């Protein structure tokens, strides 16, 4: 990846983070088309949690699902099998989506702890993409909650696609801190690449519905913006506008309070 | 007791020329060209058929369908069609029929009748409605309002889940536990520094810490279970709310469209009911509709006939009378089962055959419903299941669409079962007489359904008046065939030809199709000569050409005779040998040819051997004729002694079958000649059948037979003595060719009528036949006397022979 401040923004791969709770096909397609627009390849990283697999050997580890009447036992073997099956399904979906767009796809299954956010599998020119799970109960739960937290603390741009996001023509809306010049360059680049108008708003605008005359295509958001640390609240905020959100800027410190600027 | 022998009479004289052919006198025709003559309806010459058709067409009782028989299919067709169309024009126009989707049972489409001509409007209105729905419904469901309300419902549902799990997660986090989403569900695990605690680290915790974690997990598990159990209920509420929203949105979107459509059909309650059902279906099944529409967009297809998912609201205009005034007259030339009762078509979609109500296609019965259906009986009988289906429809008085595959039970695929449609049709079958009588005899249901026979005469009585009427018919046919008009002389020649076709000087053929063919051919020659009208020469040339094209076999046979390959004498005399005449018909072309018939006699047991019969070359009627000869001999001769005769009769050089009794007179002459030992003139030929009393009876093909012998004689050179003996009863049938008539006029050839064998034998042998005198014996030097004497001699010889045989040794 070229430096965020560069006018020549380029990602070699758009890397979709996948885990047990899957995102919708439409969300995955949005990511794939974004990759195609930027001339990037598509990559899928399915995260397995080795610690959880180890824990499943504990007699205390039990499994609950919507389809079973009560708890069932779980073991490293069964959990590994479940992860493998979910990874296979995710790979198949991505292959179909990438194939339809003529995109190259590589797919890996990574054993990574949540805080690491799979960083070990990423290369400097990769753009990680986070796809919100279709299952609402998965959003405040681990590992997605941890992924969200890691997203706010990452040191690279992240593409976030909320569940139910739509693709539509419209301006690129930037919600950036005043001093976020690199973020502004990224926003300009995305606007130029998509052929859309660039509209600037303050970060606080994210919490309010889009104006009638501005039905944006994508939001470019400073990571330092007023994002809640709570995963469910963060989801709700990012999903409110139902468009992809491109998060840029320096990483937020863990447990840092949200900025209190509320100007538009 | 033997009847009295017919009195012997002088030899018959030749027929006067006037009796050899009845030529139409053109001067009696009061026109110069057929262009002056008005069209006539052929039905005016067919009183019997006309009245039958009028009765059949008008009577409404069940089963009074019509079977038309006759020889001239084309002209019958035209005449019947014209008659029925005239009737149909005064009948009420029947209803239109449409098929509609049955929303309750899609495999049973609904048949709906509408006033004549209204179906297209209903179809167009429904189609417009569908097009509007295709726009209005997606627009309604993509509207901001709908999306906002839908999102609100979805978010509320998501929010409930998120809240439940967030609360659980918060509570768990406070106790150092994480709620973890696995690929297939949830689990709880202790965490430390954001990572799941490894079992070996857990085992190093104090008992108290372990117990605390265990207790916390057990407590949280209960809450997790509660949260999970709540989700289906929340989802059900969500679905119910979405359904209500969809129905409300749909109702608002389509309500005014349905109302607008109904407004066009305020006078048709059935249409209104259907449109209300459409409204109800739209509202109730919006989920399925939207899913189908999405699937259709994704797959590029939809229901069987496309236009998914709103195609179910279209209208299949099955039969419409929009352009029609009066009852329909429909002719089905290819009456397959499907073409008769309709069919359900299928469309292949991704390897699967699919269908729906829009693919129901009408049959001839549907199109003719309320009017007349014209069918060829042979064609109907030739098509599998068609005849049975036709009878079934007539009996049930309804048209039920049947599939041949289903009737054979070859497959068990689900297909449509459209509502049957009430049937009120008059079926008119065309066929040969034999077909009518066969069906009457062997199909017990036939008479139940076809009670009216319209029998077209093949001939018309020939009088001056009918000749004039026939001229008008010729004019009508000429115009129908789009040929030049005929001048008066040409018409006279056509009338002559018509009589010849009828095989009777007193009749004119009503096989108008053949007259039409003759006119077309004559017109061809007239055009070649650049004439504006067809003249008599053109007609004559057309006749000659028709005969020439068909006469190759005749010429080969004549050639065989002329080259002495087939032995036929046309001069001299011979004993026990006579020239018989037969007629052959190949593809409608008849021609006569002479055959040598010989007889040999000897003493015997009274058996008359018909060699043709012995070798199974003779048909039953021929055999009957020969057996009659035995009766004649037994009854006339040697009354005081048994017939002790062994005689054989044969058609020489006949290698095909012989049928008919028209040679029985000739065979008797040969036999008498052989018995009397009196030679027969070979410059004469004979045709006629004979009864046991010696009376000569009429035969068929008399003209062709005479001409057949004439052609041989003419080829060898007419001697002036040559001629043909025919039954006197056949004189009225003579319509001989001009060259034959001319030869007779010039005395180069002759036609002799004979009413009895005695007259014939006298002419053939030059010896009087002889009559019995007062003494009961035939006169001396007569044929009969010689025959009787010979038979007595045979009887005595046999008696002597038998005595020698039985005398003791």
């Amino acid at each position: 990846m070229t430096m965020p401040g560069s006018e020549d923004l380029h990602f070699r791969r758009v890397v979709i983070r996948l885990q047990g709770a899957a995102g919708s096909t439409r969300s995955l397609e949005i990511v794939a088309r974004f990759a195609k627009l930027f001339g990037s390849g598509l990559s899928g990283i399915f995260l397995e949690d080795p610690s959880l697999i180890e824990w499943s050997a504990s007699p205390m580890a039990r499994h609950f699902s919507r389809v079973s009447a009560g708890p069932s036992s779980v073991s490293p073997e069964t959990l590994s099998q479940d992860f493998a099956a979910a990874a296979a399904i995710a790979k198949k979906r991505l292959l179909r989506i990438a194939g339809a767009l003529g995109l190259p796809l590589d797919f890996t299954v990574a054993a990574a702890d949540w805080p690491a956010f799979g960083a070990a599998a990423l290369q400097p020119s990769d753009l990680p993409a986070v796809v919100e799970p279709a299952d609402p109960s998965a959003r405040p739960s681990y590992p997605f909650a941890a992924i969200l937290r890691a997203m706010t603390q990452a040191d690279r741009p992240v593409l976030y696609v909320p569940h139910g996001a739509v693709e539509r023509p419209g301006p690129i809306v930037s919600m950036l801190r005043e001093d976020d010049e690199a973020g502004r360059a990224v926003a300009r680049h995305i606007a130029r690449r998509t052929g859309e108008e660039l509209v600037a708003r303050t970060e606080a605008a994210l919490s309010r519905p889009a104006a009638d005359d501005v039905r944006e295509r994508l939001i470019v958001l400073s990571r330092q913006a007023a994002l809640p640390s709570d995963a469910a609240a963060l989801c709700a905020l990012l999903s409110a506008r139902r468009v992809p959100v491109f998060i840029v800027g320096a990483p937020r410190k863990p447990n840092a309070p949200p900025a209190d600027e509320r100007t538009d | 007791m033997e009847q009295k022998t017919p009195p012997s009479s002088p030899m018959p004289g030749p027929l006067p020329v006037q009796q050899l052919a009845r030529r139409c006198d053109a001067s009696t025709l009061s026109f110069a060209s057929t262009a002056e003559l008005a069209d006539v309806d052929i039905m005016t010459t067919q009183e019997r058929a006309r009245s039958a058709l009028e009765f059949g067409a008008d009577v409404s009782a069940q089963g009074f369908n019509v079977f038309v028989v006759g020889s001239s299919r084309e002209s019958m067709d035209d005449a019947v069609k014209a008659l029925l169309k005239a009737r149909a024009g005064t009948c009420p126009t029947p209803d239109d029929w449409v098929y509609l989707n049955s929303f309750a049972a899609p495999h049973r489409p609904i048949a709906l009748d509408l006033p004549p001509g209204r179906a297209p409007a209903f179809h167009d209105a429904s189609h417009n409605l569908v097009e509007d729905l295709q726009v209005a419904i997606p627009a309604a469901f993509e509207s901001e309002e709908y999306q906002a309300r839908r999102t609100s419902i979805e978010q509320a549902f998501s929010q409930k889940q998120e809240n439940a799990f967030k609360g659980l997660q918060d509570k768990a986090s406070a106790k150092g536990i994480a709620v973890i989403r696995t690929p297939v569900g949830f689990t709880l695990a202790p965490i430390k520094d954001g990572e799941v605690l490894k079992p070996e680290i857990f085992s190093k915790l104090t008992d108290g810490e372990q117990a605390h974690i265990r207790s916390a997990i057990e407590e949280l598990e209960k809450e997790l279970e509660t949260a999970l159990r709540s989700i289906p209920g929340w989802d059900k509420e969500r679905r119910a709310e979405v359904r209500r929203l969809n129905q409300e949105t749909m109702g608002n979107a389509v309500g005014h469209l349905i109302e607008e459509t109904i407004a066009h059909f305020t006078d048709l309650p059935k249409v209104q009911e259907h449109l209300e059902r459409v409204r109800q279906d739209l509202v109730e099944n919006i989920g399925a509709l939207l899913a189908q529409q999405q699937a259709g967009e994704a797959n590029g297809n939809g229901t069987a006939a496309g236009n998914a998912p709103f195609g179910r609201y279209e209208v299949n205009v099955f039969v419409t009378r929009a352009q029609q005034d009066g009852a329909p007259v429909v002719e089905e030339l290819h009456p397959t089962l499907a073409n008769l009762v309709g069919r359900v078509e299928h469309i292949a979609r991704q390897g699967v055959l699919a269908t729906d109500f829009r693919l129901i296609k009408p049959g001839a019965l549907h199109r003719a419903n309320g009017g007349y259906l014209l069918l060829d009986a042979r064609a109907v009988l030739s098509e599998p299941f068609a005849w049975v289906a036709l009878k079934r429809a007539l009996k049930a008085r309804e048209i039920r669409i049947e599939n041949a595959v289903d009737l054979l039970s070859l497959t068990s695929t689900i297909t449509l079962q459209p509502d049957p449609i009430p049937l009120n049709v008059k079926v008119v079958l065309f066929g040969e007489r034999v077909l009518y009588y066969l069906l009457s005899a062997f199909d017990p249901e036939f008479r139940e359904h076809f009670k009216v026979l319209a029998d077209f005469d093949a001939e018309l009585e020939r009088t001056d008046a009918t000749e004039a009427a026939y001229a008008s018919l010729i004019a009508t046919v000429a115009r129908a065939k789009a040929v030049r008009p005929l001048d008066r002389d040409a018409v006279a020649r056509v009338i002559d030809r018509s009589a010849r076709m009828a095989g009777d000087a007193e009749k004119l053929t009503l096989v108008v199709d053949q007259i039409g063919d003759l006119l077309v051919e004559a017109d061809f020659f007239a055009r070649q000569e650049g004439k504006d009208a067809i003249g008599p020469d053109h007609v004559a040339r057309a006749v000659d050409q028709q005969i020439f094209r068909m006469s190759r076999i005749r010429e080969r046979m004549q050639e065989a005779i002329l080259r002495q390959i087939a032995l036929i004498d046309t001069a001299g005399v011979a004993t026990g040998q006579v020239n018989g005449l037969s007629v052959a018909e190949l593809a409608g072309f008849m021609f006569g040819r002479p055959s040598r018939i010989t007889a040999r006699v000897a003493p015997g047991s009274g058996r008359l051997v018909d060699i043709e019969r012995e070798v199974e070359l003779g048909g039953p009627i021929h055999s009957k004729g020969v057996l009659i000869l035995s009766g004649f001999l037994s009854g006339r001769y040697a009354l005081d002694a048994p017939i002790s005769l062994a005689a054989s009769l044969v058609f020489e050089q006949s290698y095909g079958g012989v049928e008919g009794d028209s040679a029985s007179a000739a065979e008797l002459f040969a036999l008498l000649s052989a018995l009397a030992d009196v030679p027969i003139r070979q410059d004469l030929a004979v045709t006629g059948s004979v009864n046991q009393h010696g009376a000569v009876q009429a035969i068929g093909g008399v003209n062709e037979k005479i001409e057949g012998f004439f052609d041989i004689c003419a080829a060898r050179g007419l001697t002036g003595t040559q001629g043909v003996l025919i039954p006197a009863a056949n004189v009225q049938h003579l319509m001989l060719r001009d060259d034959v008539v001319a030869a007779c006029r010039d005395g180069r050839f002759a036609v002799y009528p004979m009413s009895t064998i005695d007259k014939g034998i006298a002419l053939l042998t030059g010896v009087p036949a002889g009559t019995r005198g007062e003494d009961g014996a035939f006169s001396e030097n007569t044929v009969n006397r010689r025959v009787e004497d010979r038979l007595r001699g045979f009887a005595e010889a046999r008696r002597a022979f038998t005595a020698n045989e039985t005398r003791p040794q």
Side-chain angles (χ1 to χ4, degrees), chain B residues 234-249:
Chain B
W234 296 335
D235 195 35
K236 189 176 177 184
E237 288 173 15
R238 178 192 68 85
R239 288 199 305 272
E241 283 186 48
V242 168
R243 191 180 306 116
R244 278 194 294 276
L245 171 63
N246 287 343
Q247 290 180 352
E248 184 185 332
T249 306

Side-chain angles (χ1 to χ4, degrees), chain B residues 529-597:
Chain B
E529 293 179 11
K531 303 289 187 186
D532 294 332
I534 297 171
D537 293 344
H538 304 132
V539 176
R541 197 168 161 196
V543 172
D544 290 345
Q545 284 298 308
Q546 284 184 342
I547 293 171
F548 174 72
R549 285 198 298 270
M550 297 296 292
S551 61
R552 191 185 68 84
I553 301 294
R554 181 182 71 173
E555 288 175 7
R556 293 292 83 79
M557 288 184 170
Q558 290 175 349
E559 181 185 300
I561 293 170
L562 296 173
R563 295 175 63 193
Q564 301 291 330
I565 297 167
L567 299 179
I568 299 291
D569 290 341
T570 51
V573 294
T575 301
Q577 175 178 308
V578 69
N579 290 324
L581 291 169
S582 60
V583 68
E585 181 171 3
L586 295 169
F589 175 61
M590 289 172 63
F591 61 93
R593 65 162 188 154
S595 296
R596 173 175 288 178
I597 298 171

Side-chain angles (χ1 to χ4, degrees), chain B residues 137-251:
Chain B
I137 293 175
F141 284 86
E142 287 167 9
S143 67
E144 288 288 339
E145 183 188 355
Y146 174 81
Q147 291 296 335
R149 291 176 66 184
R150 176 74 186 256
T151 302
S152 171
I153 294 168
E154 298 291 350
Q155 283 182 343
F157 171 61
S158 294
Q159 201 61 51
K160 277 182 186 171
Q161 290 186 71
E162 283 187 26
N163 289 345
F165 277 80
K166 182 175 181 306
L168 185 63
Q169 187 67 63
D170 290 347
K171 199 169 179 180
S173 295
K175 295 180 179 181
I177 308 294
V179 180
I180 303 168
R181 179 66 153 85
T182 70
V184 292
F186 293 88
T187 188
L188 296 164
I191 55 169
K192 190 175 183 184
D193 298 330
E195 287 186 31
V196 174
L197 212 58
K198 294 185 185 302
E200 61 269 24
I201 297 175
F202 179 79
S203 63
K204 290 175 184 171
L205 297 177
T206 65
D207 289 348
E209 287 171 326
Q210 287 187 10
H212 176 73
I213 289 173
R214 189 174 290 112
S215 167
I217 285 178
E218 285 173 0
E219 183 187 340
L220 289 166
E221 279 181 349
K222 289 175 186 164
E223 293 189 32
L224 174 60
E225 246 186 304
T226 304
L228 285 172
R229 270 205 294 269
S230 302
I231 291 174
W234 296 335
D235 195 35
K236 189 176 177 184
E237 288 173 15
R238 178 192 68 85
R239 288 199 305 272
E241 283 186 48
V242 168
R243 191 180 306 116
R244 278 194 294 276
L245 171 63
N246 287 343
Q247 290 180 352
E248 184 185 332
T249 306
M250 181 63 92

